[in-house]
Amino acid sequence: MKKNCLECGEVLNGRIDKKFCSDYCRNSYNNKINKDSKNLIRNVNNRLRKNHKLLSDLNTTGKTKVTRTKLLDGNFDFNFFTSIYTTKTGNTYYYIYNQGYLALDNDYYLLIKKE
């Protein structure tokens, strides 16, 4: 019984359990199958990278106070962060990798860098 490549349909020669005629067809097939989940991951990682870069650019000293407007002007997205840390006093820090922020009064944020 002849089997065909799952990607291009070419007749397969060789091993009985072979599914693809080449590495190119195997990669193309798997990229199509995983496209949606990979796009989601890529988009989230891009958003995290942009948030991290903005915090790094604004926080050159390791501890800085900025306005919410300044973050939003840099297209900061508050929905994307990598971890949350709540102190014993109840302050909640949001982190994007090693860059963190804490909401203060009057729409100010304290930016900190975790070493």
Side-chain angles (χ1 to χ4, degrees):
M1 181 175 120
K2 294 272 184 195
K3 285 180 75 175
N4 294 40
C5 174
L6 293 177
E7 178 64 15
C8 72
E10 191 174 302
V11 175
L12 297 176
N13 298 313
R15 290 178 25 186
I16 195 161
D17 61 344
K18 196 171 181 182
K19 295 180 182 179
F20 304 99
C21 64
S22 66
D23 286 338
Y24 177 81
C25 279
R26 179 177 47 81
N27 287 328
S28 293
Y29 179 84
N30 286 321
N31 285 340
K32 284 180 197 169
I33 297 295
N34 298 324
K35 185 173 84 174
D36 291 340
S37 65
K38 283 194 172 138
N39 275 342
L40 172 67
I41 292 166
R42 184 176 26 256
N43 291 338
V44 168
N45 285 338
N46 285 339
R47 190 65 257 174
L48 288 170
R49 193 176 302 114
K50 286 176 184 172
N51 276 358
H52 183 268
K53 182 174 179 353
L54 180 62
L55 292 182
S56 297
D57 291 348
L58 293 174
N59 185 16
T60 54
T61 62
K63 201 171 195 176
T64 308
K65 204 167 146 181
V66 297
T67 62
R68 180 179 181 85
T69 306
K70 190 149 185 112
L71 291 171
L72 292 175
D73 286 348
N75 292 320
F76 190 81
D77 190 332
F78 288 92
N79 295 312
F80 290 88
F81 49 87
T82 55
S83 63
I84 300 173
Y85 175 70
T86 305
T87 63
K88 290 177 185 167
T89 57
N91 290 329
T92 302
Y93 289 85
Y94 294 87
Y95 281 93
I96 295 107
Y97 306 115
N98 64 335
Q99 295 286 341
Y101 61 93
L102 169 70
L104 303 171
D105 292 334
N106 301 322
D107 269 353
Y108 274 92
Y109 285 85
L110 175 66
L111 306 184
I112 59 163
K113 182 177 181 182
K114 189 166 43 173
E115 294 301 327

